[in-house]
Amino acid sequence: YCIAALLSATGTRPVSSPFESLRQFDFDLNLIFVDDKHTNAQHQGRVVPLVGAASNIVKSIYLPHLQRLANIIERQHPTLSQRIRQLTQSDTRQEMPLFFFLASVPALAWVEVSETSLNATEVFDWPLPWNMMRHRLSTRLRRLGAPQEIVDGILGHSEQGTAAYGFFSSRHFGDDVQQ
């Protein structure tokens, strides 16, 4: 559910490990760095606002959940337990992504979150594609009166080779977030 909330709140594309590390989150400013289309110099990730509810899900529900999970599996799977603990500490080197699924066959192991693994879990029984949340966010922001250039910046769109918050843009992300 955390991934679904984050995809919905940020408009992030459902790529493999879309929210890879705790270092991508700024809980004080409610910002998140997403890199969901790293294909060239034009698409190298972006910082987007993170609504308080989504930030709270990660901070107050998911991170404590990881600590409990690490405690539960510590005896039988000490290495995996230690790796999970490391995920809750933003200053440590991590050997797995922040969000993951557990598989028990053939042995307990983590599975990367991706569109394929999200569909395989069958947690969400819906026929809609995962990128539907991007389109919903775009529509909602436009209906709320957000300028198209800001919507493009949040979704990581670029027009004619210039990203909305790129080096050659006249927009300033900090000013737009304040609005």
Side-chain angles (χ1 to χ4, degrees), residues 121-163:
T121 63
E122 298 179 356
V123 171
F124 297 97
D125 186 21
W126 63 25
L128 303 171
W130 284 96
N131 68 348
M132 178 261 328
M133 295 175 202
R134 285 178 57 75
H135 300 290
R136 183 190 176 284
L137 180 62
S138 174
T139 300
R140 181 79 175 131
L141 289 172
R142 282 185 273 137
R143 285 185 182 159
L144 290 171
Q148 187 62 46
E149 196 172 13
I150 291 175
V151 174
D152 288 343
I154 289 172
L155 296 177
H157 295 160
S158 59
E159 201 61 41
Q160 299 175 351
T162 303

Side-chain angles (χ1 to χ4, degrees), residues 52-105:
S55 179
N56 192 50
I57 287 171
V58 175
K59 189 171 49 175
S60 301
I61 298 172
Y62 186 67
L63 294 178
H65 165 74
L66 288 179
Q67 288 289 355
R68 287 189 301 273
L69 176 61
N71 290 340
I72 290 168
I73 67 169
E74 187 170 27
R75 274 195 179 151
Q76 290 80 19
H77 306 281
T79 302
L80 182 57
S81 174
Q82 180 58 34
R83 288 179 179 165
I84 292 171
R85 274 187 222 295
Q86 289 172 343
L87 296 176
T88 65
Q89 302 163 1
S90 61
D91 60 341
T92 62
R93 186 176 157 273
Q94 299 163 347
E95 299 180 37
M96 58 189 284
L98 180 60
F99 293 93
F100 58 92
F101 294 113
L102 286 177
S104 58
V105 178

Side-chain angles (χ1 to χ4, degrees), residues 31-42:
L31 299 171
I32 184 172
F33 176 79
V34 297
D35 189 4
D36 59 354
K37 192 176 181 181
H38 191 101
T39 56
N40 56 37
Q42 184 178 335

